[in-house]
Amino acid sequence: MKLIYGQYDEKKYPLKRYYANEIPPKIMKCIWKLSNTKNAIVRGGLAFIFLFKKNDYKLKDIDMLSSIDNEKVFIKILNEPEVIYINKNTFNEKVITVFWKSKNEYFKLDILMNQKINNIKKCNWNNKEYFTIDVSFLWMNRMCKIAEKIQRKHNDQKTINHYEIVKYMCENMLNNNMKLNSEDITIVNQKLETVENTLNKIIGSEKTKEFIELNKKIINR
């Protein structure tokens, strides 16, 4: 295993696309250990799968969130990766990026460090318990990613993916009478206009209007 302090070249690590059930056991074991010690909790696409039992959702990477800033804690748990990078993201936040090789492609894990974590949800997946962000945080995070498309250098398809996830989540939350956290609502309200402007250019005004109204229903009830 190599440990590198610095940025990685994405071209060197073509990412595999896969379903959650296709994640190798040694990687799932790492995620479970990190989650159960609460050193890091699951976020992103894998949290979406765990929270909504979406077995048909394909992943390109695995994301976790940590309130601590101590890479030694994580390196002890990570199992036989090819390389670990200690680097910074677009917003200058510290990230541990881990690559496991699978033939000519890679499984990738990002652990975003030194973050505030308000609410933790316990999920059961394949008879094991994992700790994740809650639904409200996932909703807020995806809305922010739509608004921050340019800063994050996301292509249109990635933003459409975020849109589709939020749409699914909103419909599910309405059907199940789920409510959002006030802090998350405040953050999203500040970005709604940018979300609308961003989506208008990608999916058109009619779908965007329906999407914004759907989100307002969740926010205002």
Side-chain angles (χ1 to χ4, degrees):
M1 179 201 79
K2 290 189 291 186
L3 177 61
I4 299 172
Y5 287 84
Q7 300 301 117
Y8 60 89
D9 182 356
E10 290 183 7
K11 293 176 184 177
K12 286 178 65 177
Y13 302 100
L15 298 181
K16 186 177 177 69
R17 290 190 66 84
Y18 51 90
Y19 297 107
N21 283 328
E22 295 174 329
I23 299 172
K26 68 178 182 181
I27 300 177
M28 283 306 298
K29 188 175 180 180
C30 292
I31 296 165
W32 179 78
K33 279 186 177 179
L34 289 166
S35 163
N36 270 255
T37 56
K38 295 184 185 175
N39 283 320
I41 63 170
V42 179
R43 68 183 182 104
L46 190 58
F48 175 63
I49 291 167
F50 286 176
L51 289 164
F52 291 94
K53 309 300 181 190
K54 285 289 288 177
N55 299 6
D56 60 344
Y57 182 76
K58 266 197 167 179
L59 294 163
K60 198 173 180 182
D61 53 19
I62 302 161
D63 293 300
M64 301 189 81
L65 196 66
S66 175
S67 61
I68 64 174
D69 182 1
N70 184 353
E71 58 262 28
K72 291 178 183 177
V73 170
F74 302 103
I75 291 167
K76 285 179 182 177
I77 293 173
L78 297 168
N79 186 11
E80 298 175 4
E82 176 164 303
V83 60
I84 298 174
Y85 285 87
I86 313 295
N87 59 103
K88 297 283 184 75
N89 65 11
T90 306
F91 299 95
N92 205 37
E93 298 165 314
K94 188 173 179 180
V95 182
I96 293 180
T97 302
V98 190
F99 291 101
W100 288 269
K101 193 166 188 178
S102 174
K103 295 183 179 178
N104 295 320
E105 296 176 306
Y106 289 86
F107 288 93
K108 175 189 165 201
L109 166 65
D110 275 333
I111 304 172
L112 183 59
M113 302 175 75
N114 201 27
Q115 298 293 303
K116 182 182 177 184
I117 301 173
N118 289 327
N119 298 298
I120 297 176
K121 179 78 175 176
K122 183 165 68 174
C123 298
N124 189 285
W125 177 260
N126 289 346
N127 299 316
K128 280 186 176 287
E129 288 182 344
Y130 297 85
F131 289 91
T132 77
I133 57 173
D134 67 355
V135 169
S136 182
F137 186 97
L138 181 62
W139 165 79
M140 176 273 293
N141 184 252
R142 292 288 166 146
M143 289 292 278
C144 287
K145 285 183 176 180
I146 295 171
E148 295 159 1
K149 178 184 187 295
I150 294 172
Q151 297 98 307
R152 292 175 179 271
K153 299 178 182 177
H154 287 175
N155 60 32
D156 288 356
Q157 187 53 54
K158 192 159 188 173
T159 301
I160 289 169
N161 183 50
H162 296 322
Y163 152 80
E164 289 173 345
I165 287 175
V166 173
K167 186 171 180 286
Y168 177 90
M169 289 176 63
C170 285
E171 290 167 350
N172 188 283
M173 285 189 281
L174 280 174
N175 291 336
N176 291 284
N177 200 30
M178 295 171 67
K179 292 188 177 180
L180 298 164
N181 300 327
S182 58
E183 286 185 17
D184 297 329
I185 289 172
T186 299
I187 292 169
V188 170
N189 272 331
Q190 293 168 352
K191 294 180 180 286
L192 265 183
E193 186 177 347
T194 309
V195 168
E196 186 172 6
N197 292 338
T198 300
L199 289 177
N200 267 328
K201 297 172 186 175
I202 302 173
I203 61 172
S205 58
E206 188 175 334
K207 283 186 178 180
T208 299
K209 185 179 178 182
E210 290 173 2
F211 178 76
I212 296 297
E213 289 304 315
L214 180 61
N215 277 276
K216 285 181 178 178
K217 280 184 186 178
I218 298 290
I219 289 169
N220 296 325
R221 64 183 176 156

